[in-house]
Amino acid sequence: MILPALFFYLFAAACVASAVMVIVSRNPVHSVLYLILAFVNASGLFILMGAEFLGMMLIVVYVGAVAVLFLFVIMMLDVDFVELREGFIQYLPIGIVIGGIFMFELLLVVGAWVINPQVAKTITAAIPANVSNTEALGLVLYTKYIHYFQMAGLVLLVAMIGAIVLTLRHKAKVKRQDINVQNARTPEIAMVLRKVASGQGLQDADAAEWVK
């Protein structure tokens, strides 16, 4: 039991220290790098607890997608963080209200668990003992909670479409494709036959016709 305890304290200390550095660092690129380090250490903690699926998701989803996306956005875009911090006091009351709501929900969850420790076991289903952690989660997620899983996917789809619609900007000088106009074209509209004299280019023929 000494070796798992040592790894637990190592991962926990590194996770807390990197989380503090995410907030303290003035350079946003360094903050994202510390955030990646925090995710990696949290993944190690989940593996020590036997939740290898959550540890894998932290690496694949958060480190491999979200944190790397943040890093590329910060490095590629010229974001003026000084200007963003100027409106911090203006939105502070809204942030306090939202933070209070989240804190109230966390207290409800923790309070219910303290009052009745068996409440977490009331919603669990019987899982065979000869399956792995990931397989057991898949059996529950894609059978009993399949409708909730599909609803979550629809919510994410709506959020993605809404983000595209809100950020889409049509430029006046950009030519765009119109399928109806393309399908309505005929050979008479699409092609023009021009007779050009020998030794004369198309532009010269246009100029000569313009003079006539």
Side-chain angles (χ1 to χ4, degrees):
M1 296 298 292
I2 298 177
L3 189 61
L6 290 177
F7 275 104
F8 170 79
Y9 287 115
L10 176 63
F11 287 137
C15 184
V16 173
S18 56
V20 172
M21 292 303 298
V22 171
I23 304 173
V24 174
S25 299
R26 295 182 179 273
N27 193 334
V29 177
H30 294 169
S31 296
V32 176
L33 294 177
Y34 282 119
L35 181 63
I36 294 175
L37 181 60
F39 285 152
V40 172
N41 287 282
S43 176
L45 291 174
F46 278 123
I47 293 175
L48 287 177
M49 295 173 60
E52 67 276 2
F53 180 79
L54 295 178
M56 181 180 64
M57 286 296 101
L58 272 178
I59 298 296
V60 174
V61 177
Y62 287 93
V63 177
V66 178
V68 175
L69 178 62
F70 287 166
L71 183 61
F72 274 99
V73 168
I74 292 173
M75 294 177 63
M76 294 178 64
L77 298 181
D78 188 13
V79 181
D80 190 0
F81 291 95
V82 178
E83 183 180 355
L84 291 177
R85 292 191 184 98
E86 292 178 354
F88 176 76
I89 303 299
Q90 179 181 357
Y91 298 103
L92 184 60
I94 301 177
I96 293 176
V97 172
I98 296 176
I101 294 174
F102 280 114
M103 181 61 67
F104 178 71
E105 292 177 351
L106 289 175
L107 291 177
L108 285 179
V109 174
V110 175
W113 178 74
V114 172
I115 294 173
N116 186 10
Q118 303 297 326
V119 68
K121 299 181 180 180
T122 57
I123 60 173
T124 57
I127 300 174
N130 57 350
V131 297
S132 62
N133 190 7
T134 305
E135 185 178 357
L137 182 61
L139 290 174
V140 175
L141 185 62
Y142 294 107
T143 54
K144 185 176 181 180
Y145 299 101
I146 181 62
H147 300 292
Y148 299 102
F149 182 76
Q150 292 179 346
M151 289 173 61
L154 291 176
V155 171
L156 293 176
L157 177 63
V158 172
M160 181 181 68
I161 295 174
I164 294 173
V165 172
L166 292 175
T167 57
L168 184 62
R169 297 292 183 270
H170 294 284
K171 297 182 179 179
K173 297 182 180 180
V174 177
K175 293 184 178 180
R176 298 192 176 274
Q177 187 179 15
D178 193 344
I179 304 298
N180 295 326
V181 175
Q182 291 181 347
N183 291 333
R185 294 178 68 183
T186 60
E188 291 78 11
I189 300 175
M191 295 184 297
V192 177
L193 299 177
R194 303 296 297 274
K195 185 176 181 181
V196 181
S198 179
Q200 188 180 25
L202 184 60
Q203 295 180 355
D204 298 333
D206 292 337
E209 185 177 355
W210 177 259
V211 172
K212 292 180 181 180

